[in-house]
Amino acid sequence: FFFFPWRSDKQPAMSDKKQPNATMMAACASGNLAQVQSLLDQSANPQLTASLQDESTGQSPLMAAAEKGHVGICNVLLEQGAPWNAVDRKGQCAGNYATDAEHWDIVNLLVDHGTKAELILGASMRSMPPIPIPSQNDNEDAKDEQDNNETKKGPVEWESSTKADYLERNVRYNADGTLLLDDDDDAVMMEWERPLMDAHASIITSGGAKGKRVMNVGFGLGIIDSALQKYEPSLHIIVEAHPGVHARMLADGWDKKPGVRVEFGKWQEVLPKLIAEGVELDGIFYDTYGEHYTDMEEFHEQIVKILAKPGGIYSFFNGLAPDNIFFHGVACNCVKIQLEQLGLDTEFAQCQIQVKEKDWEGVRRKYWHGRETYYLPIATWSKKEGNKVPVDESKSKEAADAKNDEKVRERNDEGDDGDDTGGDIGPDCKKLKA
């Protein structure tokens, strides 16, 4: 997602004078709001005072207040610029502290704050000029620097998953076709995703209805496309941009399967062509590799032009911020708001999934971290106020402010609410509202 967790180990080495004020930490933990405010007022740099983390534990004043349930202090610290996404030495943020202690008012406060911050950051990033794709020499230099700084690095999961040069990299399949790796030994797709892909395929075909018009962006191992073929789609578009994966598709005869139309190229090039042709789709699935969240936002702005009304269904592989459940919740909330601006209502199906440690053998970096619940997104055209039109990007901040009371944690386990997404979505999935 946009944010990279703010970590104390990324800051310069702290002297005693740069440690959090012990009085501040005690006041935050005890709930002494007056003392916290006084310490901030007396500080030459209130933002720094509100933000500093303990050298040994990484704990911050915001974490201390969140853990003990002091919502007023959390508000004050956030207003002074304390980073909502700071993490301690164990990778836990203030939201995790509040969640573990079941202080839901603080959880909601932090979700709201994080969502607004991410939407504003996203709007600013979209206004920046594109970052050039690094050359091979640049990549080699960066790798040398990475090797030289190996001892300074944290876990590989802290690295950005965005790889702008992915299409220029080599990929390889293992012998039995259950693993696809890039040249960093990072997994592009893995076999353990199959139950999730089966559920996604059922969702975008309205419960496994036959004859649907569907599109998958990002072939990988072809898991979801194999699942979609079982439902005999009348049109099955597969968009794949990596030359190695495309070659594998052709070798396996995917271009000759019933109803299949293989489009080799980036979706940024393919979608305008489909739109110009007047293609209309009943179901769309997005699962690319190495792209940034801003790419996903741009994808959303395009698919509303080809998703059939009123019954079209959109879904995507939900690997947003996978290494922290709180960050994942904020990311889901941001997507929900963006899709709502485009006229789509989003709910999430709660799916049970187990990934064993041995599944990661030979993979450098995990992209799923021990959680047994996967929140499968289901986006359908809004039934409120008709089908909305895309919101001007300049309005994104106002929209975020207007919708910041929608909490990703407010979930309803009552099952189907009468929409037209069809029947069962898989043996280990149930629908819930976001």
Side-chain angles (χ1 to χ4, degrees), residues 293-321:
Y293 179 73
T294 51
D295 296 306
M296 186 182 192
E297 286 194 316
E298 292 172 8
F299 180 78
H300 292 164
E301 292 168 359
Q302 296 301 311
I303 62 168
V304 294
K305 302 172 184 177
I306 57 175
L307 186 64
K309 297 179 181 179
I313 303 170
Y314 165 63
S315 191
F316 59 89
F317 179 75
N318 193 0
L320 301 171

Side-chain angles (χ1 to χ4, degrees), residues 90-311:
K90 296 181 180 180
Q92 300 298 291
C93 66
N96 298 122
Y97 279 82
T99 301
D100 291 345
E102 299 186 351
H103 299 309
W104 304 121
D105 53 346
I106 295 178
V107 170
N108 291 335
L109 169 69
L110 292 167
V111 167
D112 290 346
H113 187 89
T115 298
K116 287 177 24 176
E118 291 305 305
L119 291 174
I120 292 169
L121 176 60
S124 67
M125 291 186 70
R126 285 190 296 274
S127 67
M128 296 170 60
I131 299 174
I133 296 176
S135 66
Q136 185 64 34
N137 289 335
D138 291 335
N139 290 333
E140 291 174 357
D141 292 341
K143 190 174 188 310
D144 290 340
E145 182 176 352
Q146 173 180 315
D147 293 340
N148 292 334
N149 293 322
E150 193 70 29
T151 58
K152 300 179 183 179
K153 285 176 29 177
V156 294
E157 285 79 11
W158 291 3
E159 299 175 16
S160 170
S161 60
T162 302
K163 296 186 177 183
D165 62 339
Y166 164 63
L167 298 180
E168 300 174 1
R169 293 171 174 246
N170 293 322
V171 296
R172 67 184 187 281
Y173 292 84
N174 66 352
D176 57 2
T178 58
L179 176 64
L180 175 60
L181 295 170
D182 69 10
D183 55 7
D184 285 331
D185 289 334
D186 288 336
V188 178
M189 194 171 196
M190 301 178 69
E191 178 63 25
W192 65 259
E193 297 179 34
R194 187 171 295 276
L196 301 180
M197 296 297 109
D198 288 343
H200 279 289
S202 178
I203 283 291
I204 67 170
T205 56
S206 299
K210 294 186 177 181
K212 295 290 185 178
R213 301 159 297 175
V214 297
M215 177 176 70
N216 171 43
V217 179
F219 181 79
L221 295 175
I223 297 176
I224 192 170
D225 291 299
S226 296
L228 289 170
Q229 279 289 291
K230 296 176 185 177
Y231 303 129
E232 302 175 12
S234 60
L235 174 63
H236 182 177
I237 300 173
I238 306 174
V239 181
E240 176 54 55
H242 195 284
V245 177
H246 179 250
R248 175 73 172 234
M249 291 176 65
L250 298 184
D252 289 345
W254 273 93
D255 57 326
K256 298 178 176 62
K257 292 183 183 293
V260 169
R261 172 178 170 179
V262 175
E263 290 286 350
F264 175 52
K266 298 173 66 174
W267 63 259
Q268 292 89 338
E269 302 161 350
V270 173
L271 259 60
K273 180 172 70 173
L274 299 179
I275 293 167
E277 292 177 11
V279 170
E280 190 174 65
L281 299 166
D282 302 301
I284 298 174
F285 184 67
Y286 175 88
D287 187 15
T288 62
Y289 179 78
E291 290 195 321
H292 194 272
Y293 179 73
T294 51
D295 296 306
M296 186 182 192
E297 286 194 316
E298 292 172 8
F299 180 78
H300 292 164
E301 292 168 359
Q302 296 301 311
I303 62 168
V304 294
K305 302 172 184 177
I306 57 175
L307 186 64
K309 297 179 181 179

Side-chain angles (χ1 to χ4, degrees), residues 356-385:
K356 299 177 182 178
E357 192 63 31
K358 67 178 183 180
D359 292 332
W360 298 105
E361 292 178 1
V363 177
R364 184 181 76 103
R365 170 172 54 181
K366 295 180 180 180
Y367 58 91
W368 191 258
H369 297 270
R371 299 202 309 273
E372 295 184 354
T373 302
Y374 172 82
Y375 295 100
L376 186 154
I378 308 168
T380 56
W381 288 109
S382 174
K383 299 178 179 65
K384 301 174 184 177
E385 302 174 6

